[in-house]
Amino acid sequence: MSQHVRPLYELRDEARTARARGELSRARDALWGALQHTIAREEEYVALTGEMREVLALQGDMRSALTVAWYAGTEQTQRPLLEHVPPIDRARTLLAWADRETSASRQQGLYAKAAEAYEEAGLVAQAAIARERGQDFERARALWSRLAQILSSSGADFYAAGLSRFNLARTSLRTGDTAAAREAVFSSVHLLEEAADRYETIGQRERAFDCYQVLIAIGRESSVFEHVLEGYVNVIRILREDHLRYYALQSYEEAVAAAEKQGETSAAATLSREMAAYARKEGLPMVANFAMLTQARLWQEVSTMALRRGTPPEIAENALLAAVIALGEAGQYHKVGDVYRALSELPLEESRRKHYGKARARYLEAQDLTIDASPLPAQLRHEVGFPEVWHVDLVEWEQAGSASQATGDVVLDPGQWSEVTRRRAMLARLTALAIEAQEEKGGASRDAPVLYATLAEQLSAVELYTILSPLERLFRRPEASVRGAVVRALSRFLYKRTFITVRDALVDADPTVVHEARKALEELRFPHAFDPLARVYREAQSQQTRQSAVRALSKIDTFEASELLLGIIRHDGSEERAAAVDALKKVRGMKFIDLARGALPELTGAPQAAVREILHDRGVSV
């Protein structure tokens, strides 16, 4: 993308003059320059896309013309182009029409046509999704079955295979075939567990997280609480390990509610106990108190249900004793006395009943402490729905890193993405289409590396998670200049998945790519980047890479990052210590300062001098 963009009005006038003279290439170049003004007013930008569409159509570049028409065009402007583009572009256009159609009958027809076009393009997953949207679950089920068989036989991608089996189970349920649904659920769970294990083994916990989220959805769809519980336990574990405490506490609340709804009251009480301990550790006493009181209530319900079922009274006794502990920790002493009364009334041996009666007497005059007990406050909640990864991730798998497809999805979704984001995606798609046209002719042109690097730069401006896959594919190019451009682009994508490619770049054969990767590493600083950054630090053979990881870690103001940095100052080499000292003197976070002040009396020699230097430069008296 050019660093110097001429004024929009100048470029537009040039394009109109060139077109009037029949100089279409010059008109196209001028309009291309005008479209770089991605922050222009909407009405101006829409007019530009209309003019560009007309020029591209006159040149016979129908795929690009349709792309531009997607931005603000209508069915009227898009329809004449459909017969001149490949099935994948027809399918995507028809799907967008169907999504915004208000007539139910016409909408179903459009979804059906989109599905047919996707099938013609060989895109089975996207065809099945279109059938589902059109409520044609019989045909959707057949497509998911076909895809599941293909993936299961290949054995290459457990995650995609598990998702396809889950979609088969969903559609089987909707068509009334419960036996097929049960079989598909069993296969899906097995495949997703296998995929999660593999992802965790190679350090891709965010992908394992998706597997566990799908397990929750499978459990809800199939009404099998075991899958729901397995999913939530692992989701919470990963969130806690990534230090996303508010997400973790929200997931605890959801898990407790799910368990209680399924009648799994003991599991709900156990989860509440774990939630209370975690909230207290994270310095959220009101949430911890809320969880303790919830736990006490649930244990009392366990006792009541046990007595109703006629189970041995010792089960009810153990549940009530757990409630006593919870209420005691929360300072609810009057309520403790009430529970001891319930214990004294259980059909137990006389000596135990007397013991509980005496315990109750000690609490007759006791009062409950006034405590702040409330769930996670609204301002700390993250009201974002979990995406349907059983669709989203299969679409990504099927697109196989195609930049033209990923950006096309963005351009066609004005409801989800901003005008500027869609404009940037449109420009990237136009470049991607130019590259595809060259590749189809066979052999790369001399300027191909420049085009690939330009595409990476354009993709970086989109900054959406869905763009990671095209960048990952671009990184596999043989040209070092392209790989370097990809790594520069990745520095703007603050996702854990970004580290997968950056780690590969850190050991690239080309030193310029390694240099770009180290620079990118220092930009990837966000709270849940701690784990991958720590892993880079531990595993890197290069001193410079370790220093870059240290600089990035210094900008993460969490206890875990601070503890690691203090450990580096205490125990690691002088180069790493120097990098940590230099970086920590420049940041503003206070977690390291608090930790270092407490540890200072125990330090000696160079580590103590290093910490004193940091504290002095930060203006902290010791």
mmCIF file of all heavy atoms in Angstrom, residues 513-557:
data_model
loop_
_atom_site.group_PDB
_atom_site.id
_atom_site.type_symbol
_atom_site.label_atom_id
_atom_site.label_comp_id
_atom_site.label_asym_id
_atom_site.label_seq_id
_atom_site.Cartn_x
_atom_site.Cartn_y
_atom_site.Cartn_z
ATOM 1 N N VAL A 513 13.858 -12.310 8.872
ATOM 2 C CA VAL A 513 12.570 -12.782 9.394
ATOM 3 C C VAL A 513 12.660 -12.920 10.912
ATOM 4 O O VAL A 513 11.730 -12.539 11.645
ATOM 5 C CB VAL A 513 12.163 -14.123 8.743
ATOM 6 C CG1 VAL A 513 10.868 -14.646 9.352
ATOM 7 C CG2 VAL A 513 12.018 -13.965 7.235
ATOM 8 N N VAL A 514 13.770 -13.462 11.397
ATOM 9 C CA VAL A 514 13.974 -13.606 12.849
ATOM 10 C C VAL A 514 13.954 -12.233 13.515
ATOM 11 O O VAL A 514 13.347 -12.046 14.583
ATOM 12 C CB VAL A 514 15.299 -14.332 13.143
ATOM 13 C CG1 VAL A 514 15.560 -14.375 14.643
ATOM 14 C CG2 VAL A 514 15.268 -15.740 12.562
ATOM 15 N N HIS A 515 14.592 -11.260 12.882
ATOM 16 C CA HIS A 515 14.613 -9.895 13.426
ATOM 17 C C HIS A 515 13.201 -9.331 13.533
ATOM 18 O O HIS A 515 12.826 -8.738 14.565
ATOM 19 C CB HIS A 515 15.484 -9.006 12.532
ATOM 20 C CG HIS A 515 15.498 -7.569 12.948
ATOM 21 N ND1 HIS A 515 16.127 -7.134 14.100
ATOM 22 C CD2 HIS A 515 14.933 -6.455 12.378
ATOM 23 C CE1 HIS A 515 15.970 -5.833 14.218
ATOM 24 N NE2 HIS A 515 15.239 -5.396 13.191
ATOM 25 N N GLU A 516 12.391 -9.521 12.487
ATOM 26 C CA GLU A 516 11.003 -9.042 12.507
ATOM 27 C C GLU A 516 10.196 -9.776 13.581
ATOM 28 O O GLU A 516 9.329 -9.181 14.234
ATOM 29 C CB GLU A 516 10.352 -9.242 11.140
ATOM 30 C CG GLU A 516 10.896 -8.364 10.036
ATOM 31 C CD GLU A 516 10.591 -6.886 10.233
ATOM 32 O OE1 GLU A 516 9.761 -6.549 11.102
ATOM 33 O OE2 GLU A 516 11.193 -6.058 9.518
ATOM 34 N N ALA A 517 10.491 -11.055 13.770
ATOM 35 C CA ALA A 517 9.757 -11.847 14.775
ATOM 36 C C ALA A 517 10.051 -11.341 16.183
ATOM 37 O O ALA A 517 9.155 -11.275 17.031
ATOM 38 C CB ALA A 517 10.139 -13.323 14.648
ATOM 39 N N ARG A 518 11.305 -10.970 16.439
ATOM 40 C CA ARG A 518 11.646 -10.440 17.770
ATOM 41 C C ARG A 518 10.944 -9.107 18.019
ATOM 42 O O ARG A 518 10.466 -8.838 19.121
ATOM 43 C CB ARG A 518 13.161 -10.276 17.888
ATOM 44 C CG ARG A 518 13.908 -11.606 17.988
ATOM 45 C CD ARG A 518 15.398 -11.405 17.944
ATOM 46 N NE ARG A 518 16.101 -12.691 17.955
ATOM 47 C CZ ARG A 518 17.286 -12.896 17.384
ATOM 48 N NH1 ARG A 518 17.895 -11.900 16.750
ATOM 49 N NH2 ARG A 518 17.853 -14.083 17.425
ATOM 50 N N LYS A 519 10.889 -8.278 16.986
ATOM 51 C CA LYS A 519 10.177 -7.002 17.115
ATOM 52 C C LYS A 519 8.685 -7.246 17.376
ATOM 53 O O LYS A 519 8.066 -6.581 18.212
ATOM 54 C CB LYS A 519 10.364 -6.164 15.851
ATOM 55 C CG LYS A 519 11.759 -5.574 15.708
ATOM 56 C CD LYS A 519 11.983 -4.984 14.326
ATOM 57 C CE LYS A 519 11.022 -3.854 14.024
ATOM 58 N NZ LYS A 519 11.271 -3.262 12.674
ATOM 59 N N ALA A 520 8.118 -8.204 16.642
ATOM 60 C CA ALA A 520 6.692 -8.519 16.833
ATOM 61 C C ALA A 520 6.440 -9.043 18.232
ATOM 62 O O ALA A 520 5.428 -8.710 18.867
ATOM 63 C CB ALA A 520 6.243 -9.549 15.792
ATOM 64 N N LEU A 521 7.358 -9.877 18.734
ATOM 65 C CA LEU A 521 7.216 -10.457 20.063
ATOM 66 C C LEU A 521 7.051 -9.370 21.112
ATOM 67 O O LEU A 521 6.239 -9.484 22.039
ATOM 68 C CB LEU A 521 8.444 -11.313 20.361
ATOM 69 C CG LEU A 521 8.348 -12.285 21.539
ATOM 70 C CD1 LEU A 521 7.379 -13.397 21.221
ATOM 71 C CD2 LEU A 521 9.728 -12.861 21.844
ATOM 72 N N GLU A 522 7.797 -8.296 20.977
ATOM 73 C CA GLU A 522 7.748 -7.212 21.965
ATOM 74 C C GLU A 522 6.454 -6.414 21.895
ATOM 75 O O GLU A 522 6.116 -5.689 22.834
ATOM 76 C CB GLU A 522 8.951 -6.302 21.771
ATOM 77 C CG GLU A 522 10.270 -7.005 22.065
ATOM 78 C CD GLU A 522 11.478 -6.085 21.974
ATOM 79 O OE1 GLU A 522 11.318 -4.878 22.261
ATOM 80 O OE2 GLU A 522 12.575 -6.569 21.626
ATOM 81 N N GLU A 523 5.718 -6.552 20.777
ATOM 82 C CA GLU A 523 4.429 -5.869 20.648
ATOM 83 C C GLU A 523 3.270 -6.717 21.173
ATOM 84 O O GLU A 523 2.181 -6.202 21.428
ATOM 85 C CB GLU A 523 4.167 -5.520 19.179
ATOM 86 C CG GLU A 523 5.159 -4.538 18.588
ATOM 87 C CD GLU A 523 5.167 -3.217 19.339
ATOM 88 O OE1 GLU A 523 4.072 -2.705 19.657
ATOM 89 O OE2 GLU A 523 6.270 -2.692 19.605
ATOM 90 N N LEU A 524 3.478 -8.008 21.324
ATOM 91 C CA LEU A 524 2.398 -8.911 21.730
ATOM 92 C C LEU A 524 2.313 -8.971 23.246
ATOM 93 O O LEU A 524 2.631 -9.972 23.883
ATOM 94 C CB LEU A 524 2.629 -10.304 21.135
ATOM 95 C CG LEU A 524 2.593 -10.361 19.608
ATOM 96 C CD1 LEU A 524 2.984 -11.744 19.116
ATOM 97 C CD2 LEU A 524 1.204 -9.986 19.081
ATOM 98 N N ARG A 525 1.872 -7.878 23.834
ATOM 99 C CA ARG A 525 1.803 -7.776 25.290
ATOM 100 C C ARG A 525 0.355 -7.560 25.696
ATOM 101 O O ARG A 525 -0.197 -6.483 25.481
ATOM 102 C CB ARG A 525 2.679 -6.633 25.764
ATOM 103 C CG ARG A 525 2.386 -5.330 25.040
ATOM 104 C CD ARG A 525 3.491 -4.327 25.244
ATOM 105 N NE ARG A 525 3.089 -2.998 24.822
ATOM 106 C CZ ARG A 525 3.553 -2.404 23.737
ATOM 107 N NH1 ARG A 525 4.409 -3.024 22.957
ATOM 108 N NH2 ARG A 525 3.155 -1.186 23.434
ATOM 109 N N PHE A 526 -0.239 -8.566 26.231
ATOM 110 C CA PHE A 526 -1.601 -8.508 26.749
ATOM 111 C C PHE A 526 -1.686 -9.562 27.840
ATOM 112 O O PHE A 526 -0.883 -10.512 27.855
ATOM 113 C CB PHE A 526 -2.633 -8.732 25.640
ATOM 114 C CG PHE A 526 -2.344 -9.889 24.717
ATOM 115 C CD1 PHE A 526 -2.960 -11.114 24.903
ATOM 116 C CD2 PHE A 526 -1.458 -9.748 23.642
ATOM 117 C CE1 PHE A 526 -2.708 -12.180 24.047
ATOM 118 C CE2 PHE A 526 -1.203 -10.810 22.787
ATOM 119 C CZ PHE A 526 -1.833 -12.027 22.990
ATOM 120 N N PRO A 527 -2.600 -9.422 28.817
ATOM 121 C CA PRO A 527 -2.565 -10.281 30.009
ATOM 122 C C PRO A 527 -2.437 -11.771 29.739
ATOM 123 O O PRO A 527 -1.612 -12.450 30.353
ATOM 124 C CB PRO A 527 -3.885 -9.939 30.711
ATOM 125 C CG PRO A 527 -4.136 -8.520 30.327
ATOM 126 C CD PRO A 527 -3.647 -8.390 28.912
ATOM 127 N N HIS A 528 -3.239 -12.307 28.796
ATOM 128 C CA HIS A 528 -3.171 -13.755 28.596
ATOM 129 C C HIS A 528 -2.075 -14.160 27.611
ATOM 130 O O HIS A 528 -2.040 -15.298 27.140
ATOM 131 C CB HIS A 528 -4.530 -14.335 28.185
ATOM 132 C CG HIS A 528 -5.212 -13.633 27.056
ATOM 133 N ND1 HIS A 528 -5.702 -12.362 27.177
ATOM 134 C CD2 HIS A 528 -5.503 -14.020 25.804
ATOM 135 C CE1 HIS A 528 -6.257 -11.994 26.045
ATOM 136 N NE2 HIS A 528 -6.143 -12.976 25.194
ATOM 137 N N ALA A 529 -1.165 -13.212 27.299
ATOM 138 C CA ALA A 529 0.026 -13.564 26.521
ATOM 139 C C ALA A 529 1.137 -14.100 27.424
ATOM 140 O O ALA A 529 2.181 -14.535 26.930
ATOM 141 C CB ALA A 529 0.536 -12.353 25.752
ATOM 142 N N PHE A 530 0.917 -14.076 28.736
ATOM 143 C CA PHE A 530 1.975 -14.492 29.660
ATOM 144 C C PHE A 530 2.469 -15.903 29.367
ATOM 145 O O PHE A 530 3.678 -16.148 29.267
ATOM 146 C CB PHE A 530 1.492 -14.413 31.111
ATOM 147 C CG PHE A 530 2.428 -15.093 32.075
ATOM 148 C CD1 PHE A 530 3.640 -14.508 32.410
ATOM 149 C CD2 PHE A 530 2.117 -16.342 32.607
ATOM 150 C CE1 PHE A 530 4.523 -15.144 33.274
ATOM 151 C CE2 PHE A 530 2.998 -16.984 33.459
ATOM 152 C CZ PHE A 530 4.191 -16.383 33.804
ATOM 153 N N ASP A 531 1.544 -16.843 29.223
ATOM 154 C CA ASP A 531 1.949 -18.244 29.049
ATOM 155 C C ASP A 531 2.800 -18.445 27.788
ATOM 156 O O ASP A 531 3.887 -19.017 27.866
ATOM 157 C CB ASP A 531 0.715 -19.148 29.038
ATOM 158 C CG ASP A 531 1.085 -20.609 28.928
ATOM 159 O OD1 ASP A 531 1.681 -21.136 29.874
ATOM 160 O OD2 ASP A 531 0.778 -21.227 27.886
ATOM 161 N N PRO A 532 2.355 -17.985 26.597
ATOM 162 C CA PRO A 532 3.212 -18.188 25.420
ATOM 163 C C PRO A 532 4.525 -17.407 25.489
ATOM 164 O O PRO A 532 5.560 -17.896 25.013
ATOM 165 C CB PRO A 532 2.344 -17.715 24.250
ATOM 166 C CG PRO A 532 1.252 -16.915 24.844
ATOM 167 C CD PRO A 532 1.033 -17.448 26.216
ATOM 168 N N LEU A 533 4.518 -16.222 26.093
ATOM 169 C CA LEU A 533 5.767 -15.468 26.219
ATOM 170 C C LEU A 533 6.739 -16.189 27.160
ATOM 171 O O LEU A 533 7.952 -16.257 26.887
ATOM 172 C CB LEU A 533 5.485 -14.065 26.752
ATOM 173 C CG LEU A 533 4.965 -13.038 25.736
ATOM 174 C CD1 LEU A 533 4.510 -11.771 26.450
ATOM 175 C CD2 LEU A 533 6.030 -12.719 24.687
ATOM 176 N N ALA A 534 6.209 -16.714 28.261
ATOM 177 C CA ALA A 534 7.064 -17.460 29.195
ATOM 178 C C ALA A 534 7.646 -18.696 28.515
ATOM 179 O O ALA A 534 8.809 -19.057 28.724
ATOM 180 C CB ALA A 534 6.258 -17.853 30.431
ATOM 181 N N ARG A 535 6.828 -19.318 27.671
ATOM 182 C CA ARG A 535 7.302 -20.509 26.961
ATOM 183 C C ARG A 535 8.411 -20.142 25.974
ATOM 184 O O ARG A 535 9.412 -20.846 25.853
ATOM 185 C CB ARG A 535 6.131 -21.175 26.234
ATOM 186 C CG ARG A 535 6.492 -22.489 25.589
ATOM 187 C CD ARG A 535 5.269 -23.204 25.061
ATOM 188 N NE ARG A 535 5.621 -24.458 24.430
ATOM 189 C CZ ARG A 535 4.767 -25.289 23.871
ATOM 190 N NH1 ARG A 535 3.478 -24.994 23.876
ATOM 191 N NH2 ARG A 535 5.162 -26.410 23.310
ATOM 192 N N VAL A 536 8.236 -19.021 25.267
ATOM 193 C CA VAL A 536 9.288 -18.557 24.353
ATOM 194 C C VAL A 536 10.577 -18.309 25.133
ATOM 195 O O VAL A 536 11.669 -18.718 24.716
ATOM 196 C CB VAL A 536 8.850 -17.267 23.618
ATOM 197 C CG1 VAL A 536 10.040 -16.624 22.903
ATOM 198 C CG2 VAL A 536 7.740 -17.572 22.610
ATOM 199 N N TYR A 537 10.446 -17.657 26.280
ATOM 200 C CA TYR A 537 11.636 -17.348 27.088
ATOM 201 C C TYR A 537 12.358 -18.625 27.524
ATOM 202 O O TYR A 537 13.583 -18.727 27.434
ATOM 203 C CB TYR A 537 11.250 -16.530 28.315
ATOM 204 C CG TYR A 537 12.433 -16.229 29.204
ATOM 205 C CD1 TYR A 537 13.317 -15.210 28.882
ATOM 206 C CD2 TYR A 537 12.682 -16.994 30.341
ATOM 207 C CE1 TYR A 537 14.421 -14.951 29.671
ATOM 208 C CE2 TYR A 537 13.794 -16.745 31.132
ATOM 209 C CZ TYR A 537 14.653 -15.729 30.791
ATOM 210 O OH TYR A 537 15.753 -15.485 31.570
ATOM 211 N N ARG A 538 11.576 -19.598 27.997
ATOM 212 C CA ARG A 538 12.191 -20.837 28.505
ATOM 213 C C ARG A 538 12.855 -21.648 27.398
ATOM 214 O O ARG A 538 13.881 -22.291 27.619
ATOM 215 C CB ARG A 538 11.129 -21.691 29.203
ATOM 216 C CG ARG A 538 10.663 -21.149 30.540
ATOM 217 C CD ARG A 538 9.862 -22.192 31.288
ATOM 218 N NE ARG A 538 8.666 -22.597 30.555
ATOM 219 C CZ ARG A 538 7.466 -22.040 30.722
ATOM 220 N NH1 ARG A 538 7.315 -21.062 31.589
ATOM 221 N NH2 ARG A 538 6.434 -22.471 30.039
ATOM 222 N N GLU A 539 12.257 -21.653 26.195
ATOM 223 C CA GLU A 539 12.715 -22.552 25.139
ATOM 224 C C GLU A 539 13.710 -21.932 24.172
ATOM 225 O O GLU A 539 14.402 -22.650 23.448
ATOM 226 C CB GLU A 539 11.500 -23.073 24.348
ATOM 227 C CG GLU A 539 10.541 -23.900 25.199
ATOM 228 C CD GLU A 539 9.317 -24.357 24.420
ATOM 229 O OE1 GLU A 539 9.196 -23.969 23.227
ATOM 230 O OE2 GLU A 539 8.490 -25.082 24.985
ATOM 231 N N ALA A 540 13.782 -20.602 24.125
ATOM 232 C CA ALA A 540 14.633 -19.937 23.121
ATOM 233 C C ALA A 540 16.109 -20.236 23.362
ATOM 234 O O ALA A 540 16.596 -20.186 24.496
ATOM 235 C CB ALA A 540 14.390 -18.441 23.142
ATOM 236 N N GLN A 541 16.810 -20.533 22.279
ATOM 237 C CA GLN A 541 18.260 -20.739 22.355
ATOM 238 C C GLN A 541 19.000 -19.420 22.184
ATOM 239 O O GLN A 541 20.130 -19.278 22.653
ATOM 240 C CB GLN A 541 18.690 -21.718 21.248
ATOM 241 C CG GLN A 541 18.041 -23.085 21.338
ATOM 242 C CD GLN A 541 18.417 -23.817 22.602
ATOM 243 O OE1 GLN A 541 19.596 -23.876 22.960
ATOM 244 N NE2 GLN A 541 17.430 -24.377 23.292
ATOM 245 N N SER A 542 18.354 -18.467 21.514
ATOM 246 C CA SER A 542 18.996 -17.187 21.223
ATOM 247 C C SER A 542 18.873 -16.222 22.401
ATOM 248 O O SER A 542 17.790 -16.032 22.953
ATOM 249 C CB SER A 542 18.361 -16.561 19.981
ATOM 250 O OG SER A 542 18.627 -15.184 19.904
ATOM 251 N N GLN A 543 19.992 -15.605 22.744
ATOM 252 C CA GLN A 543 20.004 -14.610 23.796
ATOM 253 C C GLN A 543 19.106 -13.414 23.447
ATOM 254 O O GLN A 543 18.377 -12.886 24.284
ATOM 255 C CB GLN A 543 21.442 -14.126 24.001
ATOM 256 C CG GLN A 543 21.689 -13.415 25.302
ATOM 257 C CD GLN A 543 21.735 -14.376 26.485
ATOM 258 O OE1 GLN A 543 20.821 -14.367 27.303
ATOM 259 N NE2 GLN A 543 22.766 -15.202 26.561
ATOM 260 N N GLN A 544 19.151 -12.997 22.176
ATOM 261 C CA GLN A 544 18.355 -11.846 21.749
ATOM 262 C C GLN A 544 16.858 -12.130 21.832
ATOM 263 O O GLN A 544 16.066 -11.263 22.210
ATOM 264 C CB GLN A 544 18.740 -11.450 20.316
ATOM 265 C CG GLN A 544 20.126 -10.853 20.194
ATOM 266 C CD GLN A 544 20.518 -10.672 18.745
ATOM 267 O OE1 GLN A 544 20.749 -11.645 18.017
ATOM 268 N NE2 GLN A 544 20.607 -9.425 18.305
ATOM 269 N N THR A 545 16.480 -13.357 21.487
ATOM 270 C CA THR A 545 15.066 -13.729 21.571
ATOM 271 C C THR A 545 14.601 -13.719 23.016
ATOM 272 O O THR A 545 13.507 -13.239 23.335
ATOM 273 C CB THR A 545 14.838 -15.118 20.942
ATOM 274 O OG1 THR A 545 15.188 -15.067 19.552
ATOM 275 C CG2 THR A 545 13.380 -15.552 21.082
ATOM 276 N N ARG A 546 15.428 -14.239 23.902
ATOM 277 C CA ARG A 546 15.070 -14.246 25.321
ATOM 278 C C ARG A 546 14.913 -12.813 25.845
ATOM 279 O O ARG A 546 14.008 -12.516 26.628
ATOM 280 C CB ARG A 546 16.137 -15.002 26.126
ATOM 281 C CG ARG A 546 16.085 -16.520 25.935
ATOM 282 C CD ARG A 546 17.394 -17.196 26.346
ATOM 283 N NE ARG A 546 17.658 -17.090 27.763
ATOM 284 C CZ ARG A 546 17.193 -17.929 28.683
ATOM 285 N NH1 ARG A 546 16.402 -18.929 28.327
ATOM 286 N NH2 ARG A 546 17.504 -17.782 29.954
ATOM 287 N N GLN A 547 15.777 -11.923 25.396
ATOM 288 C CA GLN A 547 15.683 -10.531 25.833
ATOM 289 C C GLN A 547 14.413 -9.875 25.305
ATOM 290 O O GLN A 547 13.772 -9.089 26.018
ATOM 291 C CB GLN A 547 16.928 -9.764 25.364
ATOM 292 C CG GLN A 547 18.191 -10.157 26.112
ATOM 293 C CD GLN A 547 19.445 -9.527 25.526
ATOM 294 O OE1 GLN A 547 19.362 -8.647 24.677
ATOM 295 N NE2 GLN A 547 20.600 -9.994 25.959
ATOM 296 N N SER A 548 14.019 -10.201 24.077
ATOM 297 C CA SER A 548 12.766 -9.665 23.534
ATOM 298 C C SER A 548 11.573 -10.163 24.342
ATOM 299 O O SER A 548 10.636 -9.408 24.625
ATOM 300 C CB SER A 548 12.603 -10.069 22.064
ATOM 301 O OG SER A 548 13.522 -9.385 21.248
ATOM 302 N N ALA A 549 11.612 -11.442 24.728
ATOM 303 C CA ALA A 549 10.528 -11.999 25.543
ATOM 304 C C ALA A 549 10.470 -11.289 26.904
ATOM 305 O O ALA A 549 9.383 -10.996 27.419
ATOM 306 C CB ALA A 549 10.726 -13.500 25.732
ATOM 307 N N VAL A 550 11.628 -11.000 27.476
ATOM 308 C CA VAL A 550 11.682 -10.287 28.758
ATOM 309 C C VAL A 550 11.050 -8.909 28.621
ATOM 310 O O VAL A 550 10.262 -8.472 29.478
ATOM 311 C CB VAL A 550 13.140 -10.176 29.256
ATOM 312 C CG1 VAL A 550 13.248 -9.156 30.391
ATOM 313 C CG2 VAL A 550 13.634 -11.536 29.733
ATOM 314 N N ARG A 551 11.381 -8.196 27.553
ATOM 315 C CA ARG A 551 10.825 -6.854 27.354
ATOM 316 C C ARG A 551 9.304 -6.897 27.211
ATOM 317 O O ARG A 551 8.587 -6.012 27.698
ATOM 318 C CB ARG A 551 11.484 -6.192 26.138
ATOM 319 C CG ARG A 551 12.891 -5.689 26.424
ATOM 320 C CD ARG A 551 13.422 -4.837 25.291
ATOM 321 N NE ARG A 551 13.948 -5.653 24.207
ATOM 322 C CZ ARG A 551 15.207 -6.083 24.130
ATOM 323 N NH1 ARG A 551 16.070 -5.772 25.083
ATOM 324 N NH2 ARG A 551 15.617 -6.797 23.108
ATOM 325 N N ALA A 552 8.801 -7.931 26.529
ATOM 326 C CA ALA A 552 7.349 -8.072 26.395
ATOM 327 C C ALA A 552 6.710 -8.410 27.740
ATOM 328 O O ALA A 552 5.679 -7.842 28.116
ATOM 329 C CB ALA A 552 7.020 -9.156 25.367
ATOM 330 N N LEU A 553 7.339 -9.306 28.494
ATOM 331 C CA LEU A 553 6.798 -9.714 29.798
ATOM 332 C C LEU A 553 6.755 -8.542 30.779
ATOM 333 O O LEU A 553 5.857 -8.456 31.617
ATOM 334 C CB LEU A 553 7.650 -10.846 30.373
ATOM 335 C CG LEU A 553 7.445 -12.232 29.748
ATOM 336 C CD1 LEU A 553 8.610 -13.149 30.064
ATOM 337 C CD2 LEU A 553 6.133 -12.845 30.233
ATOM 338 N N SER A 554 7.702 -7.627 30.662
ATOM 339 C CA SER A 554 7.743 -6.497 31.587
ATOM 340 C C SER A 554 6.523 -5.592 31.426
ATOM 341 O O SER A 554 6.190 -4.831 32.337
ATOM 342 C CB SER A 554 9.018 -5.689 31.368
ATOM 343 O OG SER A 554 8.959 -4.981 30.138
ATOM 344 N N LYS A 555 5.867 -5.666 30.271
ATOM 345 C CA LYS A 555 4.710 -4.812 30.007
ATOM 346 C C LYS A 555 3.395 -5.482 30.383
ATOM 347 O O LYS A 555 2.315 -4.923 30.171
ATOM 348 C CB LYS A 555 4.696 -4.419 28.529
ATOM 349 C CG LYS A 555 5.918 -3.600 28.120
ATOM 350 C CD LYS A 555 6.063 -3.505 26.611
ATOM 351 C CE LYS A 555 7.381 -2.831 26.226
ATOM 352 N NZ LYS A 555 7.668 -2.917 24.782
ATOM 353 N N ILE A 556 3.473 -6.691 30.947
ATOM 354 C CA ILE A 556 2.268 -7.397 31.400
ATOM 355 C C ILE A 556 2.188 -7.245 32.916
ATOM 356 O O ILE A 556 2.979 -7.843 33.660
ATOM 357 C CB ILE A 556 2.312 -8.884 30.997
ATOM 358 C CG1 ILE A 556 2.370 -9.010 29.480
ATOM 359 C CG2 ILE A 556 1.100 -9.626 31.548
ATOM 360 C CD1 ILE A 556 2.481 -10.442 28.983
ATOM 361 N N ASP A 557 1.271 -6.443 33.373
ATOM 362 C CA ASP A 557 1.201 -6.112 34.807
ATOM 363 C C ASP A 557 0.342 -7.121 35.560
ATOM 364 O O ASP A 557 -0.761 -6.839 35.999
ATOM 365 C CB ASP A 557 0.631 -4.696 34.975
ATOM 366 C CG ASP A 557 0.767 -4.193 36.410
ATOM 367 O OD1 ASP A 557 1.687 -4.649 37.110
ATOM 368 O OD2 ASP A 557 -0.063 -3.348 36.824
#
